Amino acid sequence: MWWRVFIIFLAFALIGAHFLRYGQTLWSLVFISAPLLLFIRHRYSARILQISLIFCAFGVWGISGYDAVQMRMSMDAPWLRLAIIMSAVTLFTLVAAFCCQGIIKHRAKASH
């Protein structure tokens, strides 16, 4: 169970670092502190994190990756490695969203 929490925390830390890179400190703090919702034993706390991770996988990493690859392609610069890295980060974020599902199922068993 601890490894699921670690993966979720790491995914949100990566998203927070992405926003910090562009000087958006408030959004960075929001995403870095988001996994603290796991300490709230409400049935929707993990679901909110799961939906946030799915949205960020496509809304943050997908769009950023697409824009960065398009920029590199337009400058005739190497782009394949960047595309692989951004795809891996997107996949990792989706894996973290799947880990939220495990926490949700675990909490459902514990409540019965």
Side-chain angles (χ1 to χ4, degrees):
M1 179 75 151
W2 65 269
W3 57 272
R4 288 183 179 138
V5 174
F6 180 72
I7 290 173
I8 293 166
F9 170 76
L10 192 57
F12 275 108
L14 285 170
I15 296 165
H18 171 78
F19 283 104
L20 190 60
R21 179 174 184 229
Y22 294 106
Q24 299 174 343
T25 309
L26 180 62
W27 282 110
S28 177
L29 290 173
V30 166
F31 282 109
I32 289 173
S33 62
L36 293 175
L37 282 176
L38 290 173
F39 291 112
I40 300 173
R41 294 255 179 221
H42 194 271
R43 63 182 180 180
Y44 292 122
S45 62
R47 184 70 71 190
I48 289 169
L49 293 178
Q50 184 180 34
I51 291 168
S52 299
L53 285 169
I54 292 170
F55 176 75
C56 287
F58 298 107
V60 174
W61 299 127
I63 292 172
S64 295
Y66 179 78
D67 288 344
V69 168
Q70 289 299 315
M71 181 180 65
R72 290 234 182 144
M73 290 174 80
S74 69
M75 297 184 332
D76 289 329
W79 58 270
L80 184 60
R81 182 176 58 183
L82 175 64
I84 292 170
I85 291 169
M86 293 304 289
S87 297
V89 172
T90 303
L91 182 64
F92 179 77
T93 305
L94 290 173
V95 167
F98 184 73
C99 288
C100 288
Q101 188 65 30
I103 292 173
I104 292 168
K105 286 181 182 178
H106 179 74
R107 287 184 178 174
K109 285 183 192 177
S111 68
H112 285 110

